Amino acid sequence: MGGIEEHPALPGHGLAGQPALTLAMVALRLMRALMPVAMLWVGKLIIDQVVALSAAGGPDTLAGWWESGLAHPLIGLVALELALAIAQDVLGRLVAYVDALLQEKLVIDISIRLMDHAADLDLASFEDASFQDRLDRARRQTMGRIPC
């Protein structure tokens, strides 16, 4: 098993090997990062709408507000805030799914590369105890998850 300089960096190898998943991971994380800003902006719009409605005066009852149509923009903003909250949760789940998928593909790729390399070695390499220890450690490390 050659030195580390003979092998590409693992994150670069794994991410370059799955460009669609890598792009999806970056896009989903970017969208998820922008969600709190969007939610704050919609919250500001809700507060502005409430302040404007209370300053303008209007019906005394909730039913009166509903029938007059003055509350419809406010209800639309509240619905948008709810939609953003749901989208944030869905994006979180999608990010976790894409991360897990990318990790599994990386583990499978590393395992295959390890098996290919072991198949190319001669019998004398397998009789060396220190080589067996390194091969066993490499095999055990690829069995679990590799965090990306």
Side-chain angles (χ1 to χ4, degrees), residues 52-88:
L53 287 175
S54 65
D60 294 332
T61 64
L62 182 61
W65 280 99
W66 184 260
E67 290 171 4
S68 70
L70 294 173
H72 290 153
L74 180 62
I75 291 174
L77 289 172
V78 171
L80 180 60
E81 183 83 14
L82 176 65
L84 286 173
I86 292 170
Q88 184 176 21

PDB file of all heavy atoms in Angstrom, residues 52-88:
ATOM      1  N   ALA A  52     -50.112  48.551  10.069  1.00  0.00           N
ATOM      2  CA  ALA A  52     -50.871  49.350   9.111  1.00  0.00           C
ATOM      3  C   ALA A  52     -52.369  49.154   9.292  1.00  0.00           C
ATOM      4  O   ALA A  52     -53.148  50.124   9.233  1.00  0.00           O
ATOM      5  CB  ALA A  52     -50.457  48.981   7.683  1.00  0.00           C
ATOM      6  N   LEU A  53     -52.800  47.921   9.535  1.00  0.00           N
ATOM      7  CA  LEU A  53     -54.226  47.659   9.727  1.00  0.00           C
ATOM      8  C   LEU A  53     -54.750  48.282  11.019  1.00  0.00           C
ATOM      9  O   LEU A  53     -55.861  48.806  11.060  1.00  0.00           O
ATOM     10  CB  LEU A  53     -54.499  46.153   9.719  1.00  0.00           C
ATOM     11  CG  LEU A  53     -54.407  45.461   8.365  1.00  0.00           C
ATOM     12  CD1 LEU A  53     -54.571  43.953   8.524  1.00  0.00           C
ATOM     13  CD2 LEU A  53     -55.432  46.009   7.392  1.00  0.00           C
ATOM     14  N   SER A  54     -53.939  48.219  12.067  1.00  0.00           N
ATOM     15  CA  SER A  54     -54.403  48.793  13.339  1.00  0.00           C
ATOM     16  C   SER A  54     -54.421  50.322  13.274  1.00  0.00           C
ATOM     17  O   SER A  54     -55.270  50.966  13.895  1.00  0.00           O
ATOM     18  CB  SER A  54     -53.527  48.312  14.499  1.00  0.00           C
ATOM     19  OG  SER A  54     -52.215  48.793  14.351  1.00  0.00           O
ATOM     20  N   ALA A  55     -53.523  50.921  12.508  1.00  0.00           N
ATOM     21  CA  ALA A  55     -53.508  52.376  12.377  1.00  0.00           C
ATOM     22  C   ALA A  55     -54.666  52.866  11.509  1.00  0.00           C
ATOM     23  O   ALA A  55     -55.198  53.953  11.731  1.00  0.00           O
ATOM     24  CB  ALA A  55     -52.183  52.838  11.778  1.00  0.00           C
ATOM     25  N   ALA A  56     -55.068  52.064  10.527  1.00  0.00           N
ATOM     26  CA  ALA A  56     -56.140  52.468   9.617  1.00  0.00           C
ATOM     27  C   ALA A  56     -57.515  52.319  10.250  1.00  0.00           C
ATOM     28  O   ALA A  56     -58.479  52.892   9.770  1.00  0.00           O
ATOM     29  CB  ALA A  56     -56.058  51.648   8.330  1.00  0.00           C
ATOM     30  N   GLY A  57     -57.576  51.549  11.314  1.00  0.00           N
ATOM     31  CA  GLY A  57     -58.889  51.289  11.912  1.00  0.00           C
ATOM     32  C   GLY A  57     -59.642  50.297  11.052  1.00  0.00           C
ATOM     33  O   GLY A  57     -59.219  49.909   9.976  1.00  0.00           O
ATOM     34  N   GLY A  58     -60.763  49.872  11.512  1.00  0.00           N
ATOM     35  CA  GLY A  58     -61.523  48.910  10.731  1.00  0.00           C
ATOM     36  C   GLY A  58     -62.591  48.279  11.579  1.00  0.00           C
ATOM     37  O   GLY A  58     -62.970  48.812  12.633  1.00  0.00           O
ATOM     38  N   PRO A  59     -63.106  47.157  11.139  1.00  0.00           N
ATOM     39  CA  PRO A  59     -64.173  46.476  11.869  1.00  0.00           C
ATOM     40  C   PRO A  59     -63.744  46.099  13.288  1.00  0.00           C
ATOM     41  O   PRO A  59     -62.558  45.979  13.591  1.00  0.00           O
ATOM     42  CB  PRO A  59     -64.434  45.238  11.025  1.00  0.00           C
ATOM     43  CG  PRO A  59     -63.886  45.554   9.680  1.00  0.00           C
ATOM     44  CD  PRO A  59     -62.759  46.489   9.912  1.00  0.00           C
ATOM     45  N   ASP A  60     -64.754  45.882  14.141  1.00  0.00           N
ATOM     46  CA  ASP A  60     -64.484  45.559  15.543  1.00  0.00           C
ATOM     47  C   ASP A  60     -64.330  44.067  15.789  1.00  0.00           C
ATOM     48  O   ASP A  60     -63.745  43.660  16.790  1.00  0.00           O
ATOM     49  CB  ASP A  60     -65.612  46.101  16.435  1.00  0.00           C
ATOM     50  CG  ASP A  60     -65.641  47.621  16.435  1.00  0.00           C
ATOM     51  OD1 ASP A  60     -64.566  48.225  16.228  1.00  0.00           O
ATOM     52  OD2 ASP A  60     -66.724  48.188  16.636  1.00  0.00           O
ATOM     53  N   THR A  61     -64.830  43.234  14.907  1.00  0.00           N
ATOM     54  CA  THR A  61     -64.794  41.790  15.136  1.00  0.00           C
ATOM     55  C   THR A  61     -63.920  41.109  14.090  1.00  0.00           C
ATOM     56  O   THR A  61     -63.649  41.676  13.013  1.00  0.00           O
ATOM     57  CB  THR A  61     -66.214  41.190  15.060  1.00  0.00           C
ATOM     58  OG1 THR A  61     -66.710  41.362  13.733  1.00  0.00           O
ATOM     59  CG2 THR A  61     -67.145  41.844  16.070  1.00  0.00           C
ATOM     60  N   LEU A  62     -63.545  39.902  14.415  1.00  0.00           N
ATOM     61  CA  LEU A  62     -62.744  39.113  13.479  1.00  0.00           C
ATOM     62  C   LEU A  62     -63.551  38.810  12.221  1.00  0.00           C
ATOM     63  O   LEU A  62     -63.025  38.865  11.106  1.00  0.00           O
ATOM     64  CB  LEU A  62     -62.269  37.819  14.148  1.00  0.00           C
ATOM     65  CG  LEU A  62     -61.383  36.904  13.320  1.00  0.00           C
ATOM     66  CD1 LEU A  62     -60.102  37.622  12.920  1.00  0.00           C
ATOM     67  CD2 LEU A  62     -61.065  35.634  14.064  1.00  0.00           C
ATOM     68  N   ALA A  63     -64.814  38.505  12.402  1.00  0.00           N
ATOM     69  CA  ALA A  63     -65.677  38.233  11.246  1.00  0.00           C
ATOM     70  C   ALA A  63     -65.778  39.477  10.363  1.00  0.00           C
ATOM     71  O   ALA A  63     -65.804  39.374   9.132  1.00  0.00           O
ATOM     72  CB  ALA A  63     -67.066  37.795  11.712  1.00  0.00           C
ATOM     73  N   GLY A  64     -65.828  40.643  10.979  1.00  0.00           N
ATOM     74  CA  GLY A  64     -65.877  41.882  10.210  1.00  0.00           C
ATOM     75  C   GLY A  64     -64.608  42.095   9.403  1.00  0.00           C
ATOM     76  O   GLY A  64     -64.659  42.537   8.252  1.00  0.00           O
ATOM     77  N   TRP A  65     -63.459  41.786   9.990  1.00  0.00           N
ATOM     78  CA  TRP A  65     -62.191  41.893   9.267  1.00  0.00           C
ATOM     79  C   TRP A  65     -62.186  40.939   8.081  1.00  0.00           C
ATOM     80  O   TRP A  65     -61.714  41.272   6.998  1.00  0.00           O
ATOM     81  CB  TRP A  65     -61.015  41.573  10.192  1.00  0.00           C
ATOM     82  CG  TRP A  65     -60.609  42.699  11.079  1.00  0.00           C
ATOM     83  CD1 TRP A  65     -60.947  42.879  12.383  1.00  0.00           C
ATOM     84  CD2 TRP A  65     -59.809  43.814  10.712  1.00  0.00           C
ATOM     85  NE1 TRP A  65     -60.398  44.023  12.858  1.00  0.00           N
ATOM     86  CE2 TRP A  65     -59.681  44.631  11.854  1.00  0.00           C
ATOM     87  CE3 TRP A  65     -59.183  44.221   9.538  1.00  0.00           C
ATOM     88  CZ2 TRP A  65     -58.970  45.808  11.856  1.00  0.00           C
ATOM     89  CZ3 TRP A  65     -58.464  45.390   9.539  1.00  0.00           C
ATOM     90  CH2 TRP A  65     -58.362  46.180  10.685  1.00  0.00           C
ATOM     91  N   TRP A  66     -62.677  39.732   8.307  1.00  0.00           N
ATOM     92  CA  TRP A  66     -62.679  38.720   7.258  1.00  0.00           C
ATOM     93  C   TRP A  66     -63.599  39.141   6.108  1.00  0.00           C
ATOM     94  O   TRP A  66     -63.239  39.020   4.939  1.00  0.00           O
ATOM     95  CB  TRP A  66     -63.104  37.369   7.836  1.00  0.00           C
ATOM     96  CG  TRP A  66     -63.042  36.267   6.838  1.00  0.00           C
ATOM     97  CD1 TRP A  66     -64.086  35.742   6.146  1.00  0.00           C
ATOM     98  CD2 TRP A  66     -61.877  35.585   6.370  1.00  0.00           C
ATOM     99  NE1 TRP A  66     -63.644  34.766   5.294  1.00  0.00           N
ATOM    100  CE2 TRP A  66     -62.285  34.645   5.415  1.00  0.00           C
ATOM    101  CE3 TRP A  66     -60.526  35.675   6.672  1.00  0.00           C
ATOM    102  CZ2 TRP A  66     -61.407  33.809   4.756  1.00  0.00           C
ATOM    103  CZ3 TRP A  66     -59.656  34.820   6.030  1.00  0.00           C
ATOM    104  CH2 TRP A  66     -60.090  33.910   5.080  1.00  0.00           C
ATOM    105  N   GLU A  67     -64.796  39.601   6.442  1.00  0.00           N
ATOM    106  CA  GLU A  67     -65.769  39.994   5.415  1.00  0.00           C
ATOM    107  C   GLU A  67     -65.334  41.235   4.644  1.00  0.00           C
ATOM    108  O   GLU A  67     -65.638  41.381   3.463  1.00  0.00           O
ATOM    109  CB  GLU A  67     -67.143  40.218   6.057  1.00  0.00           C
ATOM    110  CG  GLU A  67     -67.796  38.932   6.527  1.00  0.00           C
ATOM    111  CD  GLU A  67     -69.044  39.172   7.353  1.00  0.00           C
ATOM    112  OE1 GLU A  67     -69.447  40.349   7.504  1.00  0.00           O
ATOM    113  OE2 GLU A  67     -69.601  38.189   7.838  1.00  0.00           O
ATOM    114  N   SER A  68     -64.619  42.120   5.313  1.00  0.00           N
ATOM    115  CA  SER A  68     -64.184  43.341   4.625  1.00  0.00           C
ATOM    116  C   SER A  68     -63.033  43.083   3.652  1.00  0.00           C
ATOM    117  O   SER A  68     -62.772  43.897   2.768  1.00  0.00           O
ATOM    118  CB  SER A  68     -63.767  44.398   5.646  1.00  0.00           C
ATOM    119  OG  SER A  68     -62.556  44.005   6.288  1.00  0.00           O
ATOM    120  N   GLY A  69     -62.341  41.977   3.831  1.00  0.00           N
ATOM    121  CA  GLY A  69     -61.221  41.648   2.955  1.00  0.00           C
ATOM    122  C   GLY A  69     -59.913  42.308   3.362  1.00  0.00           C
ATOM    123  O   GLY A  69     -58.883  42.111   2.718  1.00  0.00           O
ATOM    124  N   LEU A  70     -59.938  43.082   4.434  1.00  0.00           N
ATOM    125  CA  LEU A  70     -58.711  43.763   4.872  1.00  0.00           C
ATOM    126  C   LEU A  70     -57.677  42.791   5.448  1.00  0.00           C
ATOM    127  O   LEU A  70     -56.485  43.073   5.428  1.00  0.00           O
ATOM    128  CB  LEU A  70     -59.059  44.839   5.913  1.00  0.00           C
ATOM    129  CG  LEU A  70     -59.892  46.015   5.403  1.00  0.00           C
ATOM    130  CD1 LEU A  70     -60.308  46.917   6.565  1.00  0.00           C
ATOM    131  CD2 LEU A  70     -59.101  46.804   4.375  1.00  0.00           C
ATOM    132  N   ALA A  71     -58.145  41.660   5.960  1.00  0.00           N
ATOM    133  CA  ALA A  71     -57.227  40.704   6.593  1.00  0.00           C
ATOM    134  C   ALA A  71     -56.632  39.714   5.591  1.00  0.00           C
ATOM    135  O   ALA A  71     -55.730  38.960   5.949  1.00  0.00           O
ATOM    136  CB  ALA A  71     -57.943  39.947   7.712  1.00  0.00           C
ATOM    137  N   HIS A  72     -57.106  39.700   4.358  1.00  0.00           N
ATOM    138  CA  HIS A  72     -56.628  38.707   3.388  1.00  0.00           C
ATOM    139  C   HIS A  72     -55.123  38.795   3.119  1.00  0.00           C
ATOM    140  O   HIS A  72     -54.459  37.751   3.075  1.00  0.00           O
ATOM    141  CB  HIS A  72     -57.424  38.803   2.097  1.00  0.00           C
ATOM    142  CG  HIS A  72     -58.842  38.331   2.259  1.00  0.00           C
ATOM    143  ND1 HIS A  72     -59.859  38.797   1.483  1.00  0.00           N
ATOM    144  CD2 HIS A  72     -59.411  37.460   3.116  1.00  0.00           C
ATOM    145  CE1 HIS A  72     -60.993  38.235   1.846  1.00  0.00           C
ATOM    146  NE2 HIS A  72     -60.746  37.415   2.850  1.00  0.00           N
ATOM    147  N   PRO A  73     -54.534  39.990   2.943  1.00  0.00           N
ATOM    148  CA  PRO A  73     -53.072  40.034   2.755  1.00  0.00           C
ATOM    149  C   PRO A  73     -52.317  39.500   3.975  1.00  0.00           C
ATOM    150  O   PRO A  73     -51.294  38.818   3.836  1.00  0.00           O
ATOM    151  CB  PRO A  73     -52.758  41.505   2.525  1.00  0.00           C
ATOM    152  CG  PRO A  73     -54.037  42.118   2.088  1.00  0.00           C
ATOM    153  CD  PRO A  73     -55.126  41.323   2.748  1.00  0.00           C
ATOM    154  N   LEU A  74     -52.839  39.781   5.160  1.00  0.00           N
ATOM    155  CA  LEU A  74     -52.205  39.299   6.386  1.00  0.00           C
ATOM    156  C   LEU A  74     -52.267  37.778   6.473  1.00  0.00           C
ATOM    157  O   LEU A  74     -51.270  37.127   6.812  1.00  0.00           O
ATOM    158  CB  LEU A  74     -52.869  39.935   7.609  1.00  0.00           C
ATOM    159  CG  LEU A  74     -52.318  39.532   8.970  1.00  0.00           C
ATOM    160  CD1 LEU A  74     -50.865  39.952   9.087  1.00  0.00           C
ATOM    161  CD2 LEU A  74     -53.146  40.140  10.082  1.00  0.00           C
ATOM    162  N   ILE A  75     -53.390  37.220   6.118  1.00  0.00           N
ATOM    163  CA  ILE A  75     -53.533  35.760   6.150  1.00  0.00           C
ATOM    164  C   ILE A  75     -52.615  35.119   5.111  1.00  0.00           C
ATOM    165  O   ILE A  75     -52.017  34.069   5.357  1.00  0.00           O
ATOM    166  CB  ILE A  75     -55.009  35.365   5.944  1.00  0.00           C
ATOM    167  CG1 ILE A  75     -55.794  35.794   7.179  1.00  0.00           C
ATOM    168  CG2 ILE A  75     -55.156  33.879   5.684  1.00  0.00           C
ATOM    169  CD1 ILE A  75     -57.265  35.622   7.101  1.00  0.00           C
ATOM    170  N   GLY A  76     -52.468  35.762   3.963  1.00  0.00           N
ATOM    171  CA  GLY A  76     -51.531  35.252   2.956  1.00  0.00           C
ATOM    172  C   GLY A  76     -50.093  35.247   3.456  1.00  0.00           C
ATOM    173  O   GLY A  76     -49.342  34.300   3.208  1.00  0.00           O
ATOM    174  N   LEU A  77     -49.705  36.286   4.188  1.00  0.00           N
ATOM    175  CA  LEU A  77     -48.352  36.344   4.743  1.00  0.00           C
ATOM    176  C   LEU A  77     -48.139  35.280   5.820  1.00  0.00           C
ATOM    177  O   LEU A  77     -47.061  34.668   5.900  1.00  0.00           O
ATOM    178  CB  LEU A  77     -48.069  37.735   5.301  1.00  0.00           C
ATOM    179  CG  LEU A  77     -47.890  38.844   4.265  1.00  0.00           C
ATOM    180  CD1 LEU A  77     -47.806  40.205   4.950  1.00  0.00           C
ATOM    181  CD2 LEU A  77     -46.651  38.591   3.425  1.00  0.00           C
ATOM    182  N   VAL A  78     -49.153  35.061   6.646  1.00  0.00           N
ATOM    183  CA  VAL A  78     -49.047  34.008   7.675  1.00  0.00           C
ATOM    184  C   VAL A  78     -48.940  32.636   7.011  1.00  0.00           C
ATOM    185  O   VAL A  78     -48.155  31.777   7.445  1.00  0.00           O
ATOM    186  CB  VAL A  78     -50.238  34.085   8.659  1.00  0.00           C
ATOM    187  CG1 VAL A  78     -50.266  32.876   9.577  1.00  0.00           C
ATOM    188  CG2 VAL A  78     -50.177  35.375   9.466  1.00  0.00           C
ATOM    189  N   ALA A  79     -49.715  32.422   5.939  1.00  0.00           N
ATOM    190  CA  ALA A  79     -49.620  31.156   5.204  1.00  0.00           C
ATOM    191  C   ALA A  79     -48.233  30.993   4.575  1.00  0.00           C
ATOM    192  O   ALA A  79     -47.666  29.891   4.562  1.00  0.00           O
ATOM    193  CB  ALA A  79     -50.703  31.097   4.126  1.00  0.00           C
ATOM    194  N   LEU A  80     -47.675  32.083   4.071  1.00  0.00           N
ATOM    195  CA  LEU A  80     -46.318  32.031   3.507  1.00  0.00           C
ATOM    196  C   LEU A  80     -45.298  31.691   4.586  1.00  0.00           C
ATOM    197  O   LEU A  80     -44.372  30.895   4.352  1.00  0.00           O
ATOM    198  CB  LEU A  80     -45.973  33.367   2.847  1.00  0.00           C
ATOM    199  CG  LEU A  80     -44.586  33.480   2.214  1.00  0.00           C
ATOM    200  CD1 LEU A  80     -44.392  32.438   1.122  1.00  0.00           C
ATOM    201  CD2 LEU A  80     -44.373  34.875   1.662  1.00  0.00           C
ATOM    202  N   GLU A  81     -45.448  32.248   5.775  1.00  0.00           N
ATOM    203  CA  GLU A  81     -44.547  31.929   6.894  1.00  0.00           C
ATOM    204  C   GLU A  81     -44.640  30.446   7.259  1.00  0.00           C
ATOM    205  O   GLU A  81     -43.624  29.798   7.510  1.00  0.00           O
ATOM    206  CB  GLU A  81     -44.909  32.800   8.102  1.00  0.00           C
ATOM    207  CG  GLU A  81     -44.006  32.621   9.291  1.00  0.00           C
ATOM    208  CD  GLU A  81     -42.729  33.423   9.204  1.00  0.00           C
ATOM    209  OE1 GLU A  81     -42.620  34.322   8.364  1.00  0.00           O
ATOM    210  OE2 GLU A  81     -41.819  33.134  10.012  1.00  0.00           O
ATOM    211  N   LEU A  82     -45.852  29.910   7.267  1.00  0.00           N
ATOM    212  CA  LEU A  82     -46.044  28.483   7.544  1.00  0.00           C
ATOM    213  C   LEU A  82     -45.389  27.634   6.452  1.00  0.00           C
ATOM    214  O   LEU A  82     -44.717  26.633   6.757  1.00  0.00           O
ATOM    215  CB  LEU A  82     -47.530  28.163   7.656  1.00  0.00           C
ATOM    216  CG  LEU A  82     -47.874  26.689   7.858  1.00  0.00           C
ATOM    217  CD1 LEU A  82     -47.343  26.199   9.205  1.00  0.00           C
ATOM    218  CD2 LEU A  82     -49.372  26.477   7.768  1.00  0.00           C
ATOM    219  N   ALA A  83     -45.562  28.029   5.212  1.00  0.00           N
ATOM    220  CA  ALA A  83     -44.947  27.290   4.100  1.00  0.00           C
ATOM    221  C   ALA A  83     -43.422  27.307   4.197  1.00  0.00           C
ATOM    222  O   ALA A  83     -42.762  26.298   3.934  1.00  0.00           O
ATOM    223  CB  ALA A  83     -45.410  27.870   2.767  1.00  0.00           C
ATOM    224  N   LEU A  84     -42.869  28.443   4.592  1.00  0.00           N
ATOM    225  CA  LEU A  84     -41.408  28.520   4.752  1.00  0.00           C
ATOM    226  C   LEU A  84     -40.922  27.625   5.889  1.00  0.00           C
ATOM    227  O   LEU A  84     -39.869  26.996   5.787  1.00  0.00           O
ATOM    228  CB  LEU A  84     -40.980  29.966   4.998  1.00  0.00           C
ATOM    229  CG  LEU A  84     -41.027  30.894   3.786  1.00  0.00           C
ATOM    230  CD1 LEU A  84     -40.736  32.334   4.204  1.00  0.00           C
ATOM    231  CD2 LEU A  84     -40.048  30.446   2.721  1.00  0.00           C
ATOM    232  N   ALA A  85     -41.690  27.559   6.976  1.00  0.00           N
ATOM    233  CA  ALA A  85     -41.307  26.694   8.096  1.00  0.00           C
ATOM    234  C   ALA A  85     -41.334  25.222   7.676  1.00  0.00           C
ATOM    235  O   ALA A  85     -40.434  24.441   8.016  1.00  0.00           O
ATOM    236  CB  ALA A  85     -42.231  26.928   9.285  1.00  0.00           C
ATOM    237  N   ILE A  86     -42.349  24.838   6.924  1.00  0.00           N
ATOM    238  CA  ILE A  86     -42.429  23.459   6.434  1.00  0.00           C
ATOM    239  C   ILE A  86     -41.289  23.175   5.453  1.00  0.00           C
ATOM    240  O   ILE A  86     -40.652  22.117   5.509  1.00  0.00           O
ATOM    241  CB  ILE A  86     -43.808  23.198   5.792  1.00  0.00           C
ATOM    242  CG1 ILE A  86     -44.887  23.214   6.880  1.00  0.00           C
ATOM    243  CG2 ILE A  86     -43.823  21.879   5.036  1.00  0.00           C
ATOM    244  CD1 ILE A  86     -46.311  23.211   6.349  1.00  0.00           C
ATOM    245  N   ALA A  87     -41.025  24.131   4.569  1.00  0.00           N
ATOM    246  CA  ALA A  87     -39.934  23.957   3.601  1.00  0.00           C
ATOM    247  C   ALA A  87     -38.584  23.828   4.301  1.00  0.00           C
ATOM    248  O   ALA A  87     -37.728  23.046   3.869  1.00  0.00           O
ATOM    249  CB  ALA A  87     -39.909  25.128   2.622  1.00  0.00           C
ATOM    250  N   GLN A  88     -38.392  24.565   5.390  1.00  0.00           N
ATOM    251  CA  GLN A  88     -37.135  24.471   6.131  1.00  0.00           C
ATOM    252  C   GLN A  88     -36.960  23.068   6.713  1.00  0.00           C
ATOM    253  O   GLN A  88     -35.868  22.493   6.658  1.00  0.00           O
ATOM    254  CB  GLN A  88     -37.095  25.511   7.235  1.00  0.00           C
ATOM    255  CG  GLN A  88     -35.777  25.543   7.982  1.00  0.00           C
ATOM    256  CD  GLN A  88     -35.729  26.646   9.017  1.00  0.00           C
ATOM    257  OE1 GLN A  88     -36.742  27.156   9.470  1.00  0.00           O
ATOM    258  NE2 GLN A  88     -34.527  27.021   9.391  1.00  0.00           N
TER     259      GLN A  88
END
